[in-house]
Amino acid sequence: MVRKILKFLRSMTFGMVLLSLILVCSFAGSLIAQGNSPEWYAQVYPGWQGPLLALGLDDVFGSWYFITLMALLCLNLILCSLIRIPRVIRASRAATKNAAAVQTKVALTGEGVVKLRTFLEQRRYRKTTFDKTDVYTKNHIGWYGSFLTHLAILLTLLFGAAALYLPTVKDQTCMPGHSITMDDGTSIAVDSFQIENELGKLDYASVINITLPDGSSSGDQRISVNHPLSFGSYKIYQQTYGTVGAVNVRNTATGGEDTFILDELCFLSLDGVNGVWFEALYPGYIRDENGNFTLITQTSGSYADPVYQVLLSSDGVHTPVLVFPGETLAVGGVEYTFEDPIEYPGLRIKKTPAIVNALLFAAFGLMVLGLWFCFFQTPAIVAVREDGYTVAGPKPQGLQMELSALLASDEKKEEDLC
């Protein structure tokens, strides 16, 4: 029973099933933005947020089933490659000796044998003599092609998992025209952000520029949902978004002015008594025939008709006021000019240790090397005797056809061999 279980766990069928399931999960994780709040999924996927969250599709790569599939695939690769390596070593060492014991399969004339030996020596085959048999071998390293390929896949999975789970992740908001400085000195500048494109469709795209501590720059690059930017050790995702108000405050006596971001309840005043209380920013409003306003409190796009709700404080009297962008309120010697709302991105900044990326590229290189050994360095073995030769090795057909074409005129008739 144990042998049957082990046989199944190391079988190619089991490995292909695991790979297929991992690809399906990865595809789902690429299509669905990961790591957002339940409210975000309810807004973006209305009606589907329940099943989506229940299946863990908001964090596919951290889910128990994805980690289990990866662990089982690693086990499959270990059983079908690493544990099998002693057998591969023994087979590669015994192949030359075993070929010398095989009876001659193709009879040759004396001139044919000389011609064959000359051909093999010119092709730099290595000769080993056993009694009356010379065994010519080439591409001995090819025996390990399959092992190296399986090992490379295993290392790719392990280093890929390290690249997935070891990075530090930081969620950061940044206003357009400003930048974020990371702990290592890397600067991430947000040049612009838009919630809707030119056609009015939801877009959620930022234009950012990453400058590493050594001065190298990514240049202006566009990122959007599911289309991050990778540069150096960093990977930047378009994660969330928001809209805030802005007001220009000008002292009429001195002419000094400044612009303030309105992202929370605050009181703007010169003397602490007279000023403006900012209460809320709404994305739009509906005005009936009597001139009454009904404020729109939610929207998934840009603020089409933004309106500020403020409380004007003057000599102890508080007056609620609705203010539109471009309008100015004057109180206490200060002018408050409310500006168009500012749309800003929420970035997810992921930094992966440089050694992990280097190891991952090394694993890819090892995989290419292993595949090259498998397809272009197939072990070739030719046992040559005075009466003919035998082709051996894991895939003798190609070499057999090549030698048959070369020695067609020198082969004895089949009955001569009997």
Side-chain angles (χ1 to χ4, degrees):
M1 185 64 180
V2 175
R3 288 185 178 180
K4 290 183 178 180
I5 294 175
L6 288 176
K7 184 178 180 181
F8 173 74
L9 290 176
R10 68 169 179 250
S11 66
M12 182 177 293
T13 301
F14 184 56
M16 293 304 295
V17 170
L18 291 173
L19 279 174
S20 300
L21 293 175
I22 289 173
L23 286 175
V24 170
C25 293
S26 300
F27 186 68
S30 299
L31 287 179
I32 302 172
Q34 303 288 287
N36 290 315
S37 64
E39 294 76 16
W40 187 90
Y41 291 102
Q43 183 179 18
V44 177
Y45 304 99
W48 291 94
Q49 71 274 12
L52 189 148
L53 295 173
L55 293 173
L57 296 179
D58 60 324
D59 187 20
V60 171
F61 303 109
S63 63
W64 66 267
Y65 52 84
F66 186 82
I67 295 175
T68 300
L69 289 173
M70 293 284 287
L72 288 174
L73 184 58
C74 289
L75 177 62
N76 173 262
L77 291 171
I78 291 173
L79 292 176
C80 71
S81 60
L82 299 185
I83 292 180
R84 194 177 295 178
I85 186 60
R87 188 188 308 172
V88 174
I89 295 175
R90 289 194 299 268
S92 65
R93 291 177 176 176
T96 303
K97 186 176 181 180
N98 292 339
V102 178
Q103 293 182 351
T104 300
K105 293 184 178 180
V106 180
L108 293 176
T109 62
E111 294 179 358
V113 171
V114 174
K115 187 176 181 179
L116 175 60
R117 292 180 184 274
T118 302
F119 172 81
L120 296 175
E121 290 171 359
Q122 289 176 346
R123 294 294 181 93
R124 297 183 179 179
Y125 277 70
R126 179 181 179 182
K127 184 174 74 171
T128 304
T129 302
F130 296 90
D131 196 12
K132 297 182 179 180
T133 302
D134 291 332
V135 179
Y136 291 83
T137 58
K138 190 177 182 180
N139 299 335
H140 183 78
I141 193 66
W143 288 102
Y144 302 95
S146 177
F147 163 73
L148 289 178
T149 302
H150 283 85
L151 177 61
I153 296 174
L154 176 61
L155 293 177
T156 300
L157 288 174
L158 294 176
F159 298 147
L164 188 62
Y165 300 114
L166 289 183
T168 57
V169 178
K170 184 177 183 180
D171 292 335
Q172 189 82 40
T173 59
C174 184
M175 297 296 164
H178 294 76
S179 62
I180 305 166
T181 301
M182 307 304 293
D183 293 338
D184 63 353
T186 297
S187 174
I188 302 172
V190 177
D191 296 328
S192 64
F193 171 70
Q194 63 181 26
I195 294 177
E196 298 177 351
N197 60 20
E198 296 77 6
L199 301 177
K201 295 183 178 180
L202 295 178
D203 192 21
Y204 308 111
S206 302
V207 175
I208 66 174
N209 188 330
I210 304 175
T211 304
L212 300 179
D214 62 4
S216 57
S217 173
S218 66
D220 290 342
Q221 300 290 334
R222 184 180 188 274
I223 65 171
S224 58
V225 178
N226 292 330
H227 294 88
L229 168 64
S230 296
F231 187 71
S233 300
Y234 285 89
K235 195 168 188 177
I236 314 298
Y237 297 83
Q238 177 63 57
Q239 184 71 4
T240 59
Y241 68 96
T243 304
V244 295
V247 60
N248 179 268
V249 181
R250 179 178 179 271
N251 188 321
T252 57
T254 64
E257 60 181 284
D258 201 354
T259 299
F260 295 91
I261 299 298
L262 303 175
D263 57 355
E264 60 182 358
L265 182 68
C266 63
F267 180 51
L268 302 174
S269 173
L270 184 64
D271 57 12
V273 176
N274 300 297
V276 172
W277 280 96
F278 167 72
E279 295 185 324
L281 171 66
Y282 293 96
Y285 60 89
I286 299 174
R287 187 173 185 177
D288 62 22
E289 57 185 11
N290 297 321
N292 298 317
F293 285 88
T294 300
L295 298 176
I296 299 173
T297 59
Q298 292 183 343
T299 183
S300 59
S302 296
Y303 285 16
D305 299 301
V307 56
Y308 292 88
Q309 179 178 311
V310 301
L311 198 62
L312 187 64
S313 180
S314 177
D315 297 327
V317 179
H318 301 287
T319 307
V321 181
L322 293 180
V323 188
F324 302 94
E327 293 186 345
T328 300
L329 298 178
V331 59
V334 179
E335 293 180 345
Y336 301 89
T337 302
F338 290 84
E339 302 179 347
D340 290 326
I342 300 173
E343 299 174 342
Y344 64 91
L347 305 177
R348 172 155 291 182
I349 304 170
K350 180 183 290 187
K351 182 182 180 183
T352 304
I355 185 63
V356 174
N357 290 330
L359 292 173
L360 195 55
F361 281 114
F364 289 147
L366 183 63
M367 185 182 300
V368 172
L369 184 64
L371 292 173
W372 185 68
F373 285 161
C374 286
F375 292 103
F376 301 103
Q377 294 293 309
T378 304
I381 304 174
V382 183
V384 181
R385 302 180 181 85
E386 293 181 358
D387 59 344
Y389 71 96
T390 298
V391 176
K395 297 179 181 179
Q397 294 83 4
L399 181 58
Q400 179 67 65
M401 293 177 63
E402 182 181 6
L403 295 182
S404 295
L406 174 71
L407 304 168
S409 61
D410 299 292
E411 293 182 4
K412 291 183 179 181
K413 295 182 179 181
E414 186 175 351
E415 57 267 19
D416 292 343
L417 191 62
C418 301

